[in-house]
Amino acid sequence: MSATGRGAARVDADFYATPAWCVDRLLDLGDYACPFAQADAFTAMEPAVGDGAIVRAVDAWRARRTMPPLSWVGTDIVDRGAGDVCRFAVEDFARSGPRLLAAADPVAAITNPPFRLALPFAQHFVEHGAWFAMLLRINWLGGEERHAFLRENMPAVYVLPNRPSFNEEGTTDATEYAWFIWNAAGEIVAPSVRILDLTSAEERRALRVTTTVRREQTALPFDAAPMTQTKM
């Protein structure tokens, strides 16, 4: 996701690959705050997986600490090659989230969703009860359409003090970003705001993780359903 209306051209299907350092700062919090930093392997989900940038970043962070690879399930409305890093299906999570979550049953999920679809994504995950994190502009906390949901399901907010760049030129837009985190069902944690660590310019210039943890591709357990894209 990237802010629009500030002179930047809109990317098809709101595809903005996430820089690895954004993921690293979240996982650097440790396992008390983020299951992706736990040593155990589990089933994880990326419902707006794009080309697999977030999956690669998590895999690389864990590999540097000799943690076992996760079992990833990924979906997106466009196939951008994420099948190299996860079990992938072309699916519209905003419309079909309950069915997909029931089939995959992830322990945790992480994603950078299209801004306009972040609310149904969050609603599906809260209903399912998995821990999940979404990279969003901080102004997602405002808006009448999200008011009722956020009053009842306020996330913890982990602010990135450096603005991410979602393009090869390294330019940023005029807004701040944060990881919004909802805990698994039954875990009562008071909502909080925390500022994550700074990231050096050198690390931020290394936009992408190119190494891939190759996995045996097995069929996804999703029931077959006609693909209907959400209007972007």
Side-chain angles (χ1 to χ4, degrees):
M1 172 186 14
S2 178
T4 58
R6 297 178 174 89
R10 190 69 172 267
V11 175
D12 180 50
D14 273 4
F15 171 63
Y16 299 96
T18 303
W21 67 264
C22 297
V23 178
D24 290 350
R25 293 299 79 77
L26 176 63
L27 271 61
D28 286 346
L29 288 171
D31 59 5
Y32 82 94
C34 180
F36 289 99
Q38 295 175 0
D40 295 338
F42 56 85
T43 297
M45 189 171 194
E46 218 292 30
V49 70
D51 64 358
I54 287 180
V55 174
R56 287 185 176 88
V58 172
D59 282 349
W61 189 95
R62 291 177 61 86
R64 291 194 297 270
R65 292 156 180 81
T66 64
M67 295 179 178
L70 303 176
S71 175
W72 283 98
V73 173
T75 62
D76 211 314
I77 62 171
V78 177
D79 184 350
R80 300 182 188 274
D84 287 345
V85 295
C86 65
R87 293 182 294 158
F88 174 76
V90 175
E91 292 276 3
D92 186 342
F93 188 84
R95 292 181 182 274
S96 303
R99 171 175 61 85
L100 302 176
L101 286 166
D105 195 23
V107 170
I110 182 171
T111 192
N112 175 1
F115 188 88
R116 68 186 67 189
L117 300 181
L119 179 57
F121 274 44
Q123 290 169 328
H124 296 329
F125 276 110
V126 165
E127 181 179 351
H128 180 75
W131 183 100
F132 69 104
M134 297 198 299
L135 182 63
L136 296 165
R137 305 200 301 265
I138 291 177
N139 67 356
W140 195 78
L141 289 171
E144 292 185 12
E145 69 277 16
R146 296 180 290 275
H147 174 265
F149 173 80
L150 288 171
R151 286 287 295 269
E152 294 296 322
N153 304 281
M154 184 62 185
V157 179
Y158 293 84
V159 179
L160 291 166
N162 305 104
R163 288 180 180 173
S165 172
F166 298 97
N167 58 52
E168 296 298 329
E169 291 74 33
T171 57
T172 63
D173 50 37
T175 191
E176 313 302 332
Y177 288 80
W179 287 103
F180 290 62
I181 295 176
W182 288 262
N183 285 315
E187 295 184 15
I188 307 301
V189 177
S192 62
V193 177
R194 177 170 174 174
I195 309 300
L196 296 174
D197 290 342
L198 289 165
T199 303
S200 69
E202 181 180 7
E203 185 177 355
R204 281 182 276 131
R205 282 193 293 268
L207 290 179
R208 309 294 295 282
V209 172
T210 56
T211 17
T212 296
V213 175
R214 297 288 175 178
R215 295 175 171 83
E216 181 181 354
Q217 295 304 305
T218 56
L220 287 168
F222 303 152
D223 295 330
M227 174 59 195
T228 305
Q229 293 189 11
T230 300
K231 186 175 180 181
M232 305 301 293

